[in-house]
Every structure is written in structure tokens, then in C-alpha cells.
Amino acid sequence: MAPGTLSGLLQKGAIWGFIVLELIFFSVAGEFLSLSDKAFMDLDNMLLLLKQSAPIGIIAMGMTIVMINGNIDLSVGATFALAAIVLLDSMTWPIFAGLGDGVIPVAMALALLTGIVLGAINGFIVWKTGVDAFIVTLGAMLGYRGLVFMYNGEQPTSHLNWTLVDLAEAQPLGLHVATWALLIVTVLAWLVMTRTVHGRNAYAIGDNREAAVNAGIRVGPHMMLNFMGIGFLAALSAVVFYSESGSVNPNDGELYELWVITAVVLGGTKLTGGAGSVISTLGGVIAIQLLRKGLGHIGADTETVNLVIGLILIAVLFLDRQLNIKGKEALKA
Amino acid sequence: MSDATPALRLDGIVKTFPGVRALDGVSFSVLPGEVHALMGENGAGKSTLMKVLGGIYQPDEGQITVSEVPVVMRSPLEAKAKGIVFIHQELSLATELSVAENIYLGELPRKSFGRVDWATLNARTNEILSRLKVGFGPGDRVGDLSIANQQMVEIARALTVDAKAVIFDEPTASLTDAEKVVLFDVIADLKKDGVGIIYISHRMEEIFRITDRISVLRDGQYRGTLETAKTNEEEITQLMIGRKLDLSRSEATHALGDVALEVRGLTVKGLYEDVSFEVRKGEVLGFYGLVGAGRTEIAETLFGLREPSAGTIHLNGEEVRIHSPADAIARGISLVPEDRKGQGLVLGMNCRDNMTLPQVDDLTAGPFVADGAEIAIFDQYRDRLDIRTPGWKQQVGNLSGGNQQKIVIGKWLSMHPDVLIVDEPTRGIDVGSKSEIHNLIRALAAQGYAVIVISSEMPEVLRVSDRIVAMYSGRIMRTFTAETVTEDNLIQAISGIAASAETAA
């Protein structure tokens, strides 16, 4: 057995073990504390949980790639909101009046395009200026949110298209459309990161950028592509969510970047880049949603939920660090 | 000297890790006023021993004695308090702080309310700096100092305690020859003060220049101590690797082919000027000079990492312009960089992925990477270069320096380059693997590659090169052939002494 296999396995499996623990805990605790008589691990409840994981989860897939690549994107929440506005508002534009329900794909395409363009702007600035992605996307976060408010002031932007709502509420093969979107995005992201040249290069650049340049990899365009990808996914997340809700507040999507990063980090992706896994991120996303739902199930309020998630995040990272140190010492021998 | 009580004595030090006996009964002693070399291949146990001495690891068995007092050290701070001080290869300085603050970091003299007592701090620092005869003051910012001077700050830090033993770990790795002389003077001064010095280095010339005795480790075991004056390179090497080392240049001369690379008047403003040379297929062209002479910068220009401000590059007779490493690779120029870990390898990736990194674009089946094609390439170059690894899944970071270097070389050979540039081919590589890399470079030339070797080690350039370009301060001083070169005129050329001498090509 190669050295570090055990700790590697522990790390990779840890998030799923944690999920199982949560399920057991909330099922048992729910028996005593829950106000409803419904079991926690009820099928409908679990399906709902997956659906509710989708908005954060879809963005988290893009964030995993960007973070493995050695960057970060703080502007996803604002991109999410702006794409949502484009989706809902474009359906009311006079030029599309004659399209009927044909406006739906047009509005979706416009929303997704918005995400790609915003991501491209981030990526282009990171590429051409060499300024750290943290700073660039921090600026973008404020800037894009500014655009959201410029659009409609403090007012919500609303438009309900019942065909679209029906579409979003459909449950092909038992899963919600949002869940399908999350699963498909996860599989695609996994294929990209484990099977393609782009994925290979993303890891290489995140681990050692200079060596990647010296291997002839064009780092700038590569990173820009990843930012376009996460912009697209932030918009896709908005499309999935607002098709059903039909109304955006200008504050929507705030703190999404932090929830997304929490899920990615909980899944074991390194903040410094070069290591991480799309599948573990899915685990991170589900673990967080389980916590929220489970704590709600046993009667905790939102503030308590946030406190607990914060503590668990720190505890998990501490554990991960301990495992890493142990693994390294065994190697040095 | 031999009757004195040892400054530092090790008795039967044993340190085991799960599955490995890293140190297996190591015993030797360092006398006051002695420079004691500690040698051994990578993995021989030197680093573990240093960590034991530094209080980072606790030995399982054995006793460390400082000036006849048995000591137990549970932390680096305790080791320092007992008089054992380290000068690390990698400097650990706070570059934004002043020299004085760095020297007394953690022990700044204080006044009431925790205010720093600057007057005392600067006075004490001045005292130490004058002992070292350096050209900077207590208030200078460490980040503004040269690497050599930063090292002096580290040494100054060592002098703040009553050091019984000072351990230098590869101290000359990033120093120029002139800076080395200053360092050796400081070591001589420490010697005079009766400090015992452990000097770790792979560089034989330094070992013979400054040490009194040499202790050798192999496979975690102590293999003996030699008197420097009464031994030679061969004996030390044999003790280190447990067999005789073939230092001869074992090769039948092969015919040279056409000119592969021709450089005329190449200039990068401020770094080097008017550089002209050519390399033929089957030839090894050595570049020798001091650090900062412009050799690495020439390599970087050829590899597209720097834009030349003047001059031309011809590849196989055709003029080319190279704007990026991707350009260079596409045209058949490869660079094995100076800093293997920083510039050459992705340490967290496995052997195979590192080796195929530049060409993975072409190893696809549909949208996906073709695993089989990659493994085939890895297997081919593992066998050809004799890379020792448990398998392609092994992380490159876990390999020895020599095997890492072979991965980098294999990476470029698998791209079938015309010109292979190797910058410091054996930096940080142990003696046994060194000669293997040298033989490999000669073999590559014999196979028809045009090879450029940049090296700061004279024995290395002499051993591998067909011709040697001597550089000084951004200019080519002279180009030697195997017949015209001698150690003396090579040294003269790279120190700028032969500036007026006519060029012999």
C-alpha cells in the first residue's frame, strides 16, 4: 500500500461519513425533539433537500474548479442576482412580445450569457493585470451588486410565467428539475476535472503555476475559461431557482459566495489550489443543507444553525490539518 | 586539539519512524574550534540527525552532550538555549523588518509597558555586526539585502547566544564565489573563538577548503570519520555510497552534426549583451560563470520567458522568434530549469502526469485524456532514464532529487526536442545520482541532441561539455574547447580578468 493511502481515503471519505453521522443524529434526535411526527429521513424530505441544495451546489461546482486552479470568485452572489433579473425582466421586454412561451428559452439564454460575460470580465482582468483573483472579484462583487440595484432600485423584479413555473416544478423520474441540474453539472464537472486536459491543467496551474507555464500551458486563457464557467453556473443556478419563484429582490444571492466557499472547503478543496474534488464538493453541499434542515427539524432557529455550521467548518479543517500532518510525518521517515 | 572536551558529542543516537530506522546508532563528536563536515547521500539520515540536534525530533535512544553536559532538547528554542545553533539553507527571516529586529526576533529588549528598547537593541546589534565585518547596519530592511547578507543576518542571530556548536546546512547553495569567501572568513572567526562547527555540504571543493574532519552517514548509520587532510574525494565518496564511483568520462567520441541552434548578438537590456554562440547536434555546450553572469537569463530568453531587446535566434538554419514557452516547445527547445521544485515539477501530481504535462493536449481520445498512451510514454522514459519509483501513481514530491530531475528530463525528451537546455543539472542532488545525470547528458549528446548545460560547478562543466562558454557580467568572455580549457584560464575568464585576452573559439 502506498504511503498516505489510508489518510487519503479518510480525507476523501470523511465528508460522506459526516453526512451519514448527520442523518443518524437528526433521525434519532428528531424522535425526541421534533415538533412534527414526520421522520427526518422521509423520502419527500430528502428529495426536497436535494432540490434545496441545487442553487448553492451548482455554483459550488464552478467554485471547485476555480479554487483548484488557485483562484477564487467572490462575485458569484451578485452574478446570480443579475442573471435572475435578466431572466425575469427580459420576458417582459416588448421586442419579445410576439414570441409567446417561446420567450422562455430566449430569456434563459440571455441570463446564461450574462453570467458568462460577467465571468469573462473577471477572468480577463485577472489574466491581463495579474491582480489577485480575490481582489478582482471582491471589486466585481461590489460592482455587479451595484448594477443589480441600478436596475430597479430597492424594488423587487418580478415576472411569473406559469409555463416556466410548471417546467421548474416538474419531477422527471422522481427528481426535481433543480436536482437534475445539480447532478448533471456535477457529473460534467467531474468529467472535466478527472478526464480532460483542461482538468489536468487546472490542477497543475493551481499546484505550481510557474511549472505549468514552463510546460507550455497558456495559463491566462485557461483561467479566464474557468471564470466564464463559474459565471455560467452562477447564472444557471439563478435560472433554476427563479424559474419557480418568479421574483428577485436586489439583495438576493448575498453571502452566496461564502456559502459556496464553505461547501467547497468542507469538501476538502485546498484554498491554495492544486487539490480538491468535485464529488467531495457535492458532499460538502449536501452536508451543509442537511445541517440546516436537520437543525430546523429539531427546532433550532437560523442564528443557531449558522453558529453550528461555522463551528463545524473550523472543526473539520482542524481535523483535516491533523490528518495531513500525521500523513506527512509518516512519509518523512 | 584532540585532547579538548568535545563541543558537541553524539552517542548512539537512534531514531525510528514507522517502518524505517532513520538513524541507527550515530556517534561522533565535534571539537571546539573544529569545522566538522557531515556528509551522506540524500536519505542517509542527515536531515533527521539535524532535526534531532535542533530539538524538533526526540531521539529514541542515545545521548547528546554539549561541553560534557548531557542535554535533552524538546524544542528548537531549548536547543538554542543549550548552545546549538542552526544556519539553515532556506533563510527564515522577516523580510519587512529591520536587521536588528530580525536578529533579536522574539527576544527584543524591552522597556516599561512592553515598549521596545531601540537604543539597547541597536547597540547590541552593532556589536555583533562589527564582529562579522558586514557592510550593513541594524536599521536596514532585510528584504533590501542580498541573499549573502541575509545569510549574515542569520549568522548574526546565532551569535546572540553563547553558541557551543553552529550547524551550517548547505550554506553556499545560493552564494556567489566572492560571497563564499566572506562566509568562510566568518566560519574561520567562529573557529578561532572555539566554537564547534558542523558543516553540511555536497560540494567537495568546499569540504576540502574549510573542514578539518569529515563524518559520513549512509542508510542512517555512522560510517566513520576521516581527517580532511589525509583523505581524498574518492575515499569519501566510496564511504558515502558504499561502492566506487566512476568519474571518468566513459564514452567514445561521436561525430557532430549540423548546427542546431545559432544565436547572434542576443541582448536583454540590463541582463546580458551581445551574446553569440552556436550548438551542433550531438554537442554539449557548457555555460560557466558566476551567479548573475546572465547564463540563466539567456536560457530563459531561448525558452520564451524573456523578450530579447536585440539579436537573432536561428533554429536549424531558420530564423525564429520565441514569445512564450509554448512557442519554444513547439519549435523544439526545452528547458530543464534551475529550480526543479519551483519551476520544473508539479509536486502534488503523480510521476506520469508530470511527465506528460506539456503534451497531454495531444494524448486524447475524444474529449478525454487517453490514460494508456500516457502510461506508455511514462514507462518508456522510466526504462530509458532508469527512474526509480514504485509506479507512475507515486507523487513526484516523494521522489529523491535525482529521480525528480530525471522526470523533468524525461518530460522534455518525450517531446523530441532539438535543443535541450539544462540549467544546474545536479543542484541539490547527491553524489551517486550526480554522475548518473552527467552520464545521461553525455548519452543524450551521443544520440544527437544539441545540449546546453549551465552550471556553477567547475568539475561539472568540465566533465560534460565539449566546449565551454565563459561568462562574466552579462558578456561572453571566451569560448573554450576541450583542448584549450584549463581550470586556471576558466577561472580567469569568469572573474573578468581575461577581459582583454583575445577570443579563442
Side-chain angles (χ1 to χ4, degrees):
Chain A
M1 197 165 79
T5 306
L6 183 68
S7 69
L9 205 71
L10 259 174
Q11 280 171 40
K12 272 184 202 150
I15 191 68
W16 301 104
F18 182 59
I19 288 172
V20 171
L21 260 173
E22 283 181 79
L23 284 173
I24 296 171
F25 175 80
F26 289 124
S27 298
V28 174
E31 292 294 314
F32 301 102
L33 296 170
S34 176
L35 303 171
S36 81
D37 347 314
K38 249 181 141 183
F40 181 64
M41 275 176 60
D42 174 72
L43 178 68
D44 282 339
N45 204 22
M46 290 297 113
L47 286 179
L48 191 61
L49 179 136
L50 283 176
K51 180 188 173 183
Q52 289 165 340
S53 303
I56 294 289
I58 290 170
I59 308 176
M61 293 307 144
M63 190 69 86
T64 308
I65 299 176
V66 166
M67 282 173 67
I68 287 173
N69 202 206
N71 291 313
I72 200 157
D73 188 347
L74 300 178
S75 69
V76 286
T79 303
F80 173 84
L82 203 56
I85 286 178
V86 171
L87 175 78
L88 297 183
D89 201 54
S90 65
M91 286 192 281
T92 65
W93 292 349
I95 32 164
F96 300 142
L99 290 175
D101 276 347
V103 77
I104 293 174
V106 176
M108 285 180 170
L110 282 174
L112 296 175
L113 191 67
T114 305
I116 295 174
V117 169
L118 296 182
I121 294 172
N122 287 340
F124 190 75
I125 296 174
V126 170
W127 171 14
K128 288 297 175 187
T129 64
V131 175
D132 200 273
F134 184 93
I135 304 299
V136 171
T137 59
L138 184 68
M141 174 178 97
L142 299 172
Y144 297 168
R145 183 64 67 184
L147 292 177
V148 171
F149 276 96
M150 280 160 72
Y151 200 86
N152 226 353
E154 303 282 340
Q155 301 304 312
T157 306
S158 305
H159 178 76
L160 266 182
N161 178 319
W162 290 107
T163 315
L164 188 56
V165 173
D166 286 345
L167 209 68
E169 285 183 342
Q171 272 179 276
L173 300 174
L175 295 177
H176 295 96
V177 169
T179 308
W180 279 114
L182 173 60
L183 293 180
I184 292 169
V185 166
T186 304
V187 169
L188 289 178
W190 175 75
L191 283 173
V192 165
M193 291 312 277
T194 58
R195 294 278 184 278
T196 69
V197 173
H198 186 83
R200 180 76 60 82
N201 289 350
Y203 280 101
I205 292 168
D207 190 321
N208 188 343
R209 187 161 164 179
E210 215 176 329
V213 170
N214 285 338
I217 298 171
R218 296 191 188 274
V219 170
H222 175 99
M223 296 195 311
M224 182 159 154
L225 216 56
N226 287 336
F227 278 105
M228 290 165 74
I230 193 172
F232 170 83
L233 290 175
L236 179 67
S237 174
V239 167
V240 167
F241 187 77
Y242 289 100
S243 293
E244 194 171 351
S245 91
S247 179
V248 204
N249 277 308
N251 289 321
D252 280 7
E254 260 177 12
L255 293 186
Y256 264 36
E257 55 283 340
L258 296 186
W259 285 112
V260 166
I261 293 168
T262 304
V264 173
V265 170
L266 206 56
T269 296
K270 282 208 290 188
L271 274 170
T272 45
S277 135
V278 163
I279 301 296
S280 298
T281 293
L282 182 65
V285 169
I286 292 175
I288 288 182
Q289 196 57 35
L290 256 176
L291 263 181
R292 283 177 152 178
K293 239 183 149 43
L295 289 169
H297 182 68
I298 60 174
D301 51 26
T302 323
E303 289 75 22
T304 319
V305 173
N306 287 350
L307 178 66
V308 170
I309 293 180
L311 288 175
I312 285 180
L313 179 71
I314 294 169
V316 165
L317 290 186
F318 175 71
L319 206 74
D320 177 70
R321 195 182 128 80
Q322 294 304 314
L323 282 173
N324 268 324
I325 291 172
K326 283 234 175 75
K328 276 201 181 123
E329 250 175 32
L331 275 179
K332 266 188 190 151
Chain B
M1 194 166 83
S2 55
D3 298 330
T5 51
L8 178 70
R9 199 173 77 220
L10 304 171
D11 279 313
I13 303 290
V14 174
K15 176 72 189 171
T16 53
F17 294 101
V20 194
R21 218 170 160 80
L23 290 176
D24 192 3
V26 173
S27 310
F28 66 92
S29 49
V30 182
L31 301 171
E34 173 191 42
V35 181
H36 196 114
L38 183 64
M39 299 193 75
E41 290 196 282
N42 292 342
K46 279 178 307 184
S47 330
T48 313
L49 185 62
M50 288 309 110
K51 285 187 176 142
V52 167
L53 280 175
I56 297 167
Y57 292 159
Q58 275 63 55
D60 302 332
E61 289 169 40
Q63 182 61 54
I64 301 166
T65 318
V66 177
S67 303
E68 291 300 299
V69 183
V71 293
V72 176
M73 298 165 298
R74 278 174 240 95
S75 72
L77 217 59
E78 262 186 81
K80 196 175 173 188
K82 307 277 196 234
I84 302 176
V85 182
F86 281 84
I87 312 296
H88 290 286
Q89 179 181 3
E90 272 146 34
L91 303 171
S92 53
L93 296 166
T95 50
E96 294 295 327
L97 297 184
S98 72
V99 169
E101 285 169 295
N102 266 286
I103 293 177
Y104 284 97
L105 203 63
E107 300 155 322
L108 292 175
R110 281 185 231 180
K111 297 194 287 191
S112 55
F113 300 111
R115 289 170 303 152
V116 174
D117 183 353
W118 291 105
T120 313
L121 176 65
N122 287 335
R124 283 196 207 159
T125 305
N126 265 325
E127 202 181 299
I128 293 174
L129 292 182
S130 64
R131 218 172 127 190
L132 291 173
K133 305 182 191 73
V134 291
F136 54 87
D140 291 340
R141 190 177 150 267
V142 163
D144 296 335
L145 301 179
S146 69
I147 295 291
N149 278 334
Q150 291 188 7
Q151 197 170 38
M152 287 300 160
V153 175
E154 286 263 358
I155 296 173
R157 202 191 252 178
L159 298 180
T160 60
V161 295
D162 179 22
K164 300 280 191 273
V166 179
I167 298 159
F168 288 87
D169 188 2
E170 298 271 0
T172 56
S174 42
L175 299 191
T176 65
D177 281 3
E179 290 166 337
K180 273 183 212 170
V181 173
V182 179
L183 174 73
F184 293 160
D185 282 349
V186 170
I187 292 178
D189 282 347
L190 287 173
K191 233 178 114 159
K192 259 186 240 148
D193 295 344
V195 176
I197 291 158
I198 295 184
Y199 190 88
I200 301 174
S201 176
H202 284 303
R203 300 190 181 175
M204 288 288 183
E205 40 165 318
E206 290 171 15
I207 299 289
F208 281 98
R209 187 155 152 200
I210 66 162
T211 68
D212 300 304
R213 291 193 299 164
I214 303 162
S215 286
V216 177
L217 295 182
R218 172 164 28 107
D219 302 332
Q221 287 175 338
Y222 169 72
R223 298 285 170 172
T225 300
L226 305 164
E227 299 258 345
T228 310
K230 291 178 191 158
T231 185
N232 55 45
E233 203 168 315
E234 214 183 330
E235 191 182 9
I236 300 169
T237 311
Q238 209 175 329
L239 211 53
M240 278 169 60
I241 64 176
R243 62 187 151 87
K244 274 204 165 181
L245 191 67
D246 181 17
L247 280 173
S248 63
R249 191 152 135 180
S250 55
E251 123 195 56
T253 44
H254 55 267
L256 299 186
D258 297 333
V259 171
L261 176 74
E262 187 183 354
V263 172
R264 288 285 161 245
L266 202 64
T267 302
V268 171
K269 282 231 169 66
L271 293 170
Y272 62 85
E273 243 178 284
D274 195 20
V275 164
S276 302
F277 62 88
E278 71 283 315
V279 198
R280 292 178 174 277
K281 288 180 178 155
E283 181 182 44
V284 180
L285 181 66
F287 272 79
Y288 185 62
L290 301 174
V291 173
R295 299 163 304 160
T296 297
E297 288 76 8
I298 293 175
E300 286 171 350
T301 313
L302 294 175
F303 195 56
L305 289 165
R306 291 180 192 276
E307 288 284 330
S309 32
T312 58
I313 301 168
H314 285 80
L315 252 179
N316 298 320
E318 183 194 337
E319 180 164 0
V320 292
R321 300 202 164 272
I322 301 162
H323 300 292
S324 69
D327 274 357
I329 293 164
R331 297 189 186 283
I333 299 179
S334 293
L335 172 67
V336 176
E338 176 178 25
D339 176 4
R340 186 166 53 247
K341 291 180 183 172
Q343 305 167 319
L345 291 167
V346 182
L347 291 178
M349 269 189 169
N350 65 41
C351 294
R352 180 199 70 182
D353 292 1
N354 263 288
M355 198 179 270
T356 55
L357 195 58
Q359 57 173 324
V360 69
D361 274 339
D362 302 323
L363 300 175
T364 50
F368 301 134
V369 176
D371 270 6
E374 280 194 286
I375 294 172
I377 287 178
F378 173 76
D379 284 346
Q380 184 189 344
Y381 286 91
R382 179 198 56 204
D383 296 345
R384 182 164 160 200
L385 304 180
D386 190 21
I387 299 169
R388 267 151 282 166
T389 151
W392 64 260
K393 287 183 179 160
Q394 184 70 18
Q395 275 197 5
V396 159
N398 296 337
L399 298 185
S400 72
N403 282 311
Q404 286 182 351
Q405 188 70 304
K406 287 185 193 170
I407 296 264
V408 182
I409 294 175
K411 169 167 83 177
W412 293 125
L413 291 186
S414 69
M415 299 293 290
H416 309 291
D418 293 321
V419 179
L420 184 67
I421 307 169
V422 193
D423 196 354
E424 301 290 357
T426 61
R427 172 162 292 177
I429 289 176
D430 53 63
V431 189
S433 314
K434 234 177 185 173
S435 72
E436 233 181 298
I437 299 275
H438 291 160
N439 290 338
L440 177 62
I441 289 171
R442 290 306 311 169
L444 292 176
Q447 288 159 30
Y449 293 99
V451 186
I452 294 176
V453 170
I454 299 169
S455 177
S456 302
E457 292 183 43
M458 191 189 287
E460 180 163 278
V461 246
L462 288 173
R463 183 151 176 242
V464 301
S465 315
D466 293 303
R467 288 184 303 136
I468 298 172
V469 170
M471 286 197 69
Y472 170 72
S473 180
R475 287 179 175 279
I476 290 184
M477 303 312 288
R478 212 175 143 180
T479 303
F480 297 94
T481 64
E483 290 78 42
T484 59
V485 71
T486 65
E487 294 196 12
D488 281 345
N489 57 25
L490 200 48
I491 286 179
Q492 278 179 7
I494 64 148
S495 1
I497 297 167
S500 54
E502 58 191 305
T503 306

